Amino acid sequence: MAADLERLRQEICRREEELSELKQRLADMEKKSVEDASDGTEPKTIHNGNQKLTNDQIGRYSRQLILPELGVKGQVKLLSSKVLIVGAGGLGCPAAIYLAAAGVGKIGIVDYDEVEISNLHRQILHTEHRVGVSKAESVAISCRNLNSSLNFITHKVQLSSDNAMSIIRDYDIVLDATDNVATRYLLNDACVLAGKPLVSGSALRFEGQLTVYNHKGGPCYRCLYPKPPPPETVTNCSDGGVLGVVPGIIGCYQALEAIKIAADIGTPLNQRLMLFDAIDCTTRTIKLRGRQVLCPVCGDNPSMTQLIDYEQFCGARATDKDQEKKVLPASSRMTAKEYQTLLENGIEHVLLDVRLPVEMEICHLPHPALNIPINTVKKDPSALVEQIKRQLASSGIPLDTSPVVVVCRRGNDSQLAVQLLHDSNLNIRDIRGGLHAWARDVDSLFPVY
Amino acid sequence: MDRVKVKLLFFAKSREIVGKKEADFEFASCTTSVSILEKLIEEYPELSVIAENVVLSLNEEYLELDNQELTLQAGDELAIIPPISGG
C-alpha cells in the first residue's frame, strides 16, 4: 500500500514535470512563431498599432497596462527583465508567482532542497504530491501553469562562493528569500560585486523585515550589520515557528519592489527598512543610513574584492536545518529503545522534558514529565536540581540509583540540560535524538513536528 | 540633569530576549547614542549577546553609534532592531 502510494506520487510528479516541459516548449514555439511572423510581410503585432507587445500580451497584462505609471513602456521593461529568486520557500513562493503573473521575462529560482510536508503551510507553490521533488522545479512548475509565456530557469544547487557570481551574472535584480545568515552575507557580497540590487525579505514568528540593498546610494547588508550575530542567538523557523502568511506578505512585497525596480517606477525601498508585525498588524519604516564609505565590500576602498568562506565568517552552516549537537559523552546518553526498556521494566525515574509548554501540548512521552523549558533550566540549574531531588525523595526513590531522563524534540537541548545539571549527584542522562528518535525507533504512530 | 521618558521598541531577537515588545525607560535628555546603548545593556544585560548586531533607530531614523551629543524628548521612540534571517 505504502509502496503503491509512493509509486503513484512519483508518477504524478514525473508527468507534471513532463507537462511543464511541454508547456515551455509550446511557449517557446509560440514566441518563435510570433517573431517569425514579424520578420515576414505581415507582422502579427501590426494590427494593434503597437510594435512592442503582442495581442496575447496586451490581453494578458491589460489590467496593469492601463496604469499610467506602468503602461506599455513599463510592461516592455518587465518582459525584458531578468529576476533571480534565491530560496524557493516561504518568501520565494509568493514572490515567484507574482513576478510570473506580472510578466517578468526571465525568472531564475535557486534552491538545492526538496519539498517536505512541513513546508506546505507557508511555501504555497508546492503541493502534497510534490513532496520529495526539487523546490526550484516545483516553483517553476506552478509559475509555468500561471504564465507559460515566460522563461523559467531552475538552479538546483546550494548557492556558494564558487557558483554565486556565475549564477547572478545573468540577472538584473536578485531577491534574497533565503533562510540563514551565511547565505544572506554571501548573497549581499555577490550582489555588491556584481552590481545588482538585492531585494531582501525575512520572516520569523509574526514578524517580517524588508529592504532593498545596494541600490541608488543605499546601504548594503554589511553597512547595517558589519558583524554576523553569534550563531547561538539565531533562531530559525523550525525552532521559532512562523505563521505562513507572514513570509507570504513579505514575499509579495519583495515581488512588488522587484517589479518597481524592473519597470523603473515609484520609489523603491532602498535606504529604508520596513518592519512588519503581523500580530498587531503594524508596519514601521525606518530611514536607514546610506552606503558606508568604509564598508569592507561596498565602501570606497573595499577590502573584499571576492567572495569569502561565509560559513567560517558566520560560524554557522549555510542552512536553516538543525544540526545534531555532540555535547555529551555516550555514557550520559541513552537511546529511545533503552528508554522504552526502562519504561517496560517499571523502573522509577524522573522524566524531565525541556521543551516549551506549547510543544508539550503537541505531543509528549507516555510517562508523566516535569516540564521545565531549557531557557528556565539555564537561568537556575541548581534550583532545578533541588526540585528534582525533592521529587525523588517524596517518591521514596534513592538519589544515586534512579535515573533522571531528559528529553526534548531532537536531542540537542536535552544535552545542554544534562550538562547544566551535571555537577549534582544525580544519575542523569538524555534521550539521544529526542522525540524524533522515539517516533523513528519506538513508536511509529508518535507525531513528528 | 533633566531626565525624559522614552518608549523602547524591541524587535525580532531583542523581543525574544527581553520578553516584551515595548517598555518605558528614562534617559538623561542630553546624552549620546553610545551612552544610550550602554544604558540599555545595563537595564537588560541579556541583550549584550546581540549588542553588536543591532540597528538602533530614534523616531524611525537610523541612529549612528557615536559620541555626538543628542537631545532626547519625552515620548521619543527608540527601536532595537536585530536582523531576522529566516524565511
Side-chain angles (χ1 to χ4, degrees), chain A residues 179-394:
Chain A
D179 57 13
N180 67 83
V181 180
T183 310
R184 286 182 184 274
Y185 278 99
L186 162 64
L187 203 46
N188 176 72
D189 294 357
C191 284
V192 170
L193 295 177
K196 318 276 182 186
L198 177 62
V199 183
S200 172
S202 59
L204 184 69
R205 300 199 173 99
F206 294 96
E207 283 185 82
Q209 296 181 350
L210 177 80
T211 187
V212 176
Y213 289 122
N214 195 38
H215 189 51
K216 293 192 172 172
C220 79
Y221 191 46
R222 279 184 193 266
C223 294
L224 297 184
Y225 301 106
K227 287 188 185 170
E232 67 277 11
T233 69
V234 177
T235 310
N236 62 21
C237 289
S238 169
D239 289 339
V242 62
L243 191 70
V245 65
V246 178
I249 286 165
I250 299 298
C252 287
Y253 266 114
Q254 287 182 276
L256 176 61
E257 288 304 308
I259 288 168
K260 281 161 55 188
I261 295 169
D264 196 15
I265 60 171
T267 313
L269 199 69
N270 55 300
Q271 213 174 324
R272 289 184 294 154
L273 170 65
M274 198 193 82
L275 306 168
F276 174 62
D277 187 346
I279 204 111
D280 295 332
C281 203
T282 53
T283 57
R284 279 171 202 274
T285 305
I286 310 294
K287 188 174 179 299
L288 295 173
R289 61 173 169 182
R291 182 181 70 89
Q292 295 297 288
V293 293
L294 294 176
C295 175
V297 64
C298 79
D300 288 349
N301 293 300
S303 56
M304 293 182 51
T305 51
Q306 55 185 14
L307 300 176
I308 58 169
D309 182 334
Y310 291 88
E311 295 194 337
Q312 190 185 33
F313 174 65
C314 297
R317 297 275 305 276
T319 165
D320 80 330
K321 299 203 189 301
D322 286 278
Q323 311 292 317
E324 195 190 337
K325 289 186 184 134
K326 284 211 174 75
V327 178
L328 296 177
S331 58
S332 295
R333 314 200 72 183
M334 65 168 69
T335 64
K337 277 204 150 77
E338 283 166 346
Y339 182 66
Q340 182 192 23
T341 309
L342 184 146
L343 279 182
E344 283 169 356
N345 292 340
I347 294 175
E348 296 253 36
H349 66 287
V350 168
L351 177 64
L352 173 65
D353 192 321
V354 294
R355 297 174 299 149
L356 293 171
V358 70
E359 294 176 84
M360 286 292 282
E361 275 181 42
I362 299 172
C363 56
H364 51 78
L365 290 173
H367 189 274
L370 189 60
N371 179 210
I372 314 282
I374 184 68
N375 281 336
T376 314
V377 177
K378 281 180 189 163
K379 274 181 195 146
D380 196 352
S382 50
L384 179 56
V385 169
E386 289 313 308
Q387 189 180 347
I388 292 168
K389 283 180 179 169
R390 276 199 303 274
Q391 186 162 341
L392 288 168
S394 69

Side-chain angles (χ1 to χ4, degrees), chain A residues 383-431:
Chain A
L384 179 56
V385 169
E386 289 313 308
Q387 189 180 347
I388 292 168
K389 283 180 179 169
R390 276 199 303 274
Q391 186 162 341
L392 288 168
S394 69
S395 320
I397 309 172
L399 273 187
D400 47 347
T401 54
S402 299
V404 177
V405 180
V406 187
V407 70
C408 67
R409 184 177 172 195
R410 296 191 179 90
N412 285 339
D413 285 347
S414 58
Q415 293 188 72
L416 297 179
V418 169
Q419 202 177 36
L420 286 165
L421 304 170
H422 192 67
D423 275 342
S424 61
N425 294 318
L426 296 173
N427 171 13
I428 184 165
R429 283 185 284 171
D430 85 320
I431 300 179

Side-chain angles (χ1 to χ4, degrees), chain A residues 91 178-180 184 202-203 205 207 209 225 227-230 233-235 277 279-280 284-287 289, chain B residues 9 11-13 15-16 21 49-50 52-55 57 60-62 64 77 81-87:
Chain A
L91 300 162
T178 64
D179 57 13
N180 67 83
R184 286 182 184 274
S202 59
R205 300 199 173 99
E207 283 185 82
Q209 296 181 350
Y225 301 106
K227 287 188 185 170
T233 69
V234 177
T235 310
D277 187 346
I279 204 111
D280 295 332
R284 279 171 202 274
T285 305
I286 310 294
K287 188 174 179 299
R289 61 173 169 182
Chain B
L9 303 170
F11 291 92
K13 192 70 188 181
R15 181 177 291 184
E16 182 187 325
K21 287 180 166 187
V49 285
I50 55 164
E52 291 189 312
N53 319 101
V54 296
V55 159
S57 77
E60 305 194 346
E61 286 219 20
Y62 187 92
E64 268 323 320
E77 287 188 337
I81 312 165
I84 295 176
S85 55

